[in-house]
Amino acid sequence: MKPGQTQRRPWIVGVSGASGTPYAAAVLRSLLEAGESVDLVVSRASRLTLLDETGLPFRDAHWRHDLREWLARGADGKPGTFAGFEEHLDGVRHWSAGDLAAGPSSGSYPTKGMLIVPASTACVAGVALGLSKDLLQRAASVTLKEGRRLVVAVRETPLNGQTLRHLVSLDDAGAIVLPASPAFYAGATHIQDLVDFVAGRVLDAAGVEHDLYRRWKGELGSGSRVDTT
């Protein structure tokens, strides 16, 4: 590192195969707009989910183009909904999910922590058991062992006893278990509002500033009022 140069410390964002790729897109856009660096790991299963939910591919060889198309799409599937994040894409580094020699597989690789959004029950089990079957799981295990912040946005319902035990294990290990559970007190009027609420709570847990949703102010009935501020 050159004198005076700041060491890059990214957030690792892991996208697993659960339904909820718009959650990941909202988190990624907000991280980039907040000036944060991102190391992105997209699992093999999540690429199938992304294709199913958006019609978009995610290819290692064309990841930058595919990521741009994905982040521009709204939660309702409308392309070209979002703009302005493109100038920050240089802050993203993509790692193939099968690359177990990647930077995030080592504790000596500097990061701020990791956000798994959405987290499937298979991903939850793999991290809780320390399986490290792919880079996403390995990076999560490294995040825990290094005492860094790990936010697990689990997206499944109902939850059986086995998954609940895995989630308790993650909580015991220091992870923040954050169910992808939208709330309605923020005055949601569009599906994007519900997605942004969950994404905002993920960023709250990470300590990253954002303006994705209207916060509770202790005023009953505020969720049904139009916010004109």
Side-chain angles (χ1 to χ4, degrees):
M1 187 169 60
K2 296 179 181 180
Q5 187 178 24
T6 302
Q7 185 180 47
R8 182 178 183 272
R9 295 184 67 87
W11 284 100
I12 303 171
V13 176
V15 186
S16 79
S19 177
T21 54
Y23 293 134
V27 166
L28 286 165
R29 282 193 300 267
S30 295
L31 286 173
L32 296 177
E33 289 169 355
E36 299 285 348
S37 296
V38 172
D39 275 23
L40 179 62
V41 182
V42 181
S43 76
R44 292 179 62 185
S46 69
R47 299 174 193 221
L48 297 176
T49 306
L50 180 65
L51 185 63
D52 183 57
E53 293 184 343
T54 69
L56 297 172
F58 192 91
R59 303 160 292 180
D60 288 340
H62 304 282
W63 71 267
R64 191 179 180 92
H65 171 272
D66 293 345
L67 178 62
R68 183 184 295 109
E69 293 297 310
W70 176 23
L71 298 190
R73 187 156 300 209
D76 59 0
K78 184 179 179 181
T81 300
F82 293 98
F85 61 86
E86 296 91 341
E87 62 185 286
H88 305 296
L89 284 178
D90 287 341
V92 180
R93 185 169 186 180
H94 167 258
W95 300 96
S96 173
D99 185 3
L100 291 176
S105 67
S106 172
S108 65
Y109 183 80
T111 73
K112 291 184 177 181
M114 182 172 184
L115 316 175
I116 305 178
V117 53
S120 66
T121 55
C123 173
V124 166
V127 177
L129 297 173
L131 297 182
S132 295
K133 73 169 189 176
D134 61 10
L135 179 59
L136 195 159
Q137 292 184 13
R138 171 61 185 169
S141 294
V142 168
T143 300
L144 286 176
K145 81 179 183 68
E146 295 296 323
R148 299 167 184 161
R149 192 167 302 190
L150 175 64
V151 182
V152 181
V154 60
R155 215 308 306 164
E156 185 61 271
T157 189
L159 296 172
N160 62 26
Q162 187 177 46
T163 298
L164 289 169
R165 286 187 287 272
H166 289 151
L167 292 172
V168 170
S169 295
L170 289 178
D171 179 77
D172 289 342
I176 298 173
V177 176
L178 194 152
S181 177
F184 295 85
Y185 61 78
T189 59
H190 189 276
I191 185 175
Q192 189 67 52
D193 298 326
L194 299 176
V195 167
D196 285 348
F197 180 87
V198 171
R201 295 300 287 153
V202 171
L203 295 171
D204 286 346
V208 176
E209 292 187 6
H210 66 88
D211 58 358
L212 285 174
Y213 68 88
R214 185 169 66 193
R215 297 182 182 276
W216 174 249
K217 297 179 181 178
E219 301 174 0
L220 290 177
S222 61
S224 60
R225 295 199 298 267
V226 176
D227 191 351
T228 58
T229 60

